[in-house]
Amino acid sequence: QIRKARPSAERAEDPAAPVAKGEPDMAHLNAAPANTTASVFRCASCRDHYESEDAGPGLCPICNPAEQARDQMLRMMIAEQNDAFRRALGFAALWRGQHLKGRTVATPGFLAIPERTQAALMNAVITFTDWTEDSDPYEDHSFGRVEAHGVAIFWKIDLYDAAYHFGAETPSDPEQTRRVLTLYLPSEH
């Protein structure tokens, strides 16, 4: 399996396994191309395959602390932006003085719920803080489940380009990213 430059907890092999006999334990210094494609490498430390468009060997997304720190920082920025957008239900949302552009939509199932319950559910979405490893595996605060008056809904935030045609190319950049907060019933998932 070839990984893009994103860290992952899943590894095909035991990350604690020693380097193969006869192979010096020089971490990324002896990373070599895994096949004939020049941008695919195998990490000498964790033995994982990865693609690198930057500099090649030495930038394993599993082992490289700088890459991990950068990815963690970007996830935190996106999570902060998603939280700000969700708390405002997408209306005049601000993050660090920048406007977060986007919209909130509701499915027909959500709109069929009595207005009093809709209001309670929207308040639950605004105040949501129940982040777990299961509900937020990407640590970007883009999905949740809330309940009010015996009715449960899901909410999710999708990140698009400025024209809402494709996924956001730079999701951490509020100028280039448009958010869509969707409120919907579990049966509409």
Side-chain angles (χ1 to χ4, degrees):
Q1 181 178 7
I2 298 172
R3 299 190 192 281
K4 292 270 185 192
R6 288 195 84 169
S8 171
E10 301 171 339
R11 294 189 187 171
E13 299 175 38
D14 179 9
V19 175
K21 187 175 181 177
E23 216 175 332
D25 188 8
M26 297 172 58
H28 298 285
L29 296 178
N30 66 344
N35 61 24
T36 57
T37 306
S39 62
V40 179
F41 299 90
R42 182 169 186 181
C43 175
S45 284
C46 69
R47 315 298 294 158
D48 203 13
H49 289 88
Y50 65 95
E51 285 184 347
S52 175
E53 295 176 10
D54 300 338
L59 294 178
C60 174
I62 302 296
C63 299
N64 186 300
E67 183 79 12
Q68 289 180 0
R70 185 185 72 79
D71 284 352
Q72 179 64 26
M73 183 185 73
L74 289 174
R75 282 193 305 272
M76 287 174 47
M77 286 175 57
I78 293 168
E80 287 177 12
Q81 292 170 9
N82 284 345
D83 286 345
F85 191 80
R86 177 182 44 79
R87 285 188 202 116
L89 290 178
F91 301 109
L94 286 175
W95 174 77
R96 298 182 184 180
Q98 290 184 286
H99 288 281
L100 298 173
K101 299 173 181 102
R103 56 181 76 143
T104 298
V105 297
T107 63
F110 181 86
L111 295 174
I113 297 170
E115 287 182 17
R116 180 174 166 262
T117 304
Q118 284 182 27
L121 288 165
M122 286 189 283
N123 187 56
V125 169
I126 290 168
T127 60
F128 184 86
T129 59
D130 190 22
W131 308 112
T132 67
E133 208 171 286
D134 290 334
S135 69
D136 191 29
Y138 303 108
E139 300 175 334
D140 61 358
H141 296 191
S142 64
F143 177 83
R145 180 190 181 279
V146 295
E147 192 171 326
H149 305 291
V151 176
I153 66 161
F154 290 145
W155 61 266
K156 68 175 182 158
I157 298 174
D158 293 304
L159 308 179
Y160 291 94
D161 64 4
Y164 294 96
H165 291 176
F166 303 102
E169 195 167 313
T170 312
S172 60
D173 182 356
E175 285 300 314
Q176 296 180 38
T177 302
R178 302 298 179 264
R179 287 172 164 74
V180 176
L181 170 61
T182 305
L183 309 172
Y184 62 105
L185 298 177
S187 62
E188 295 173 306
H189 190 66

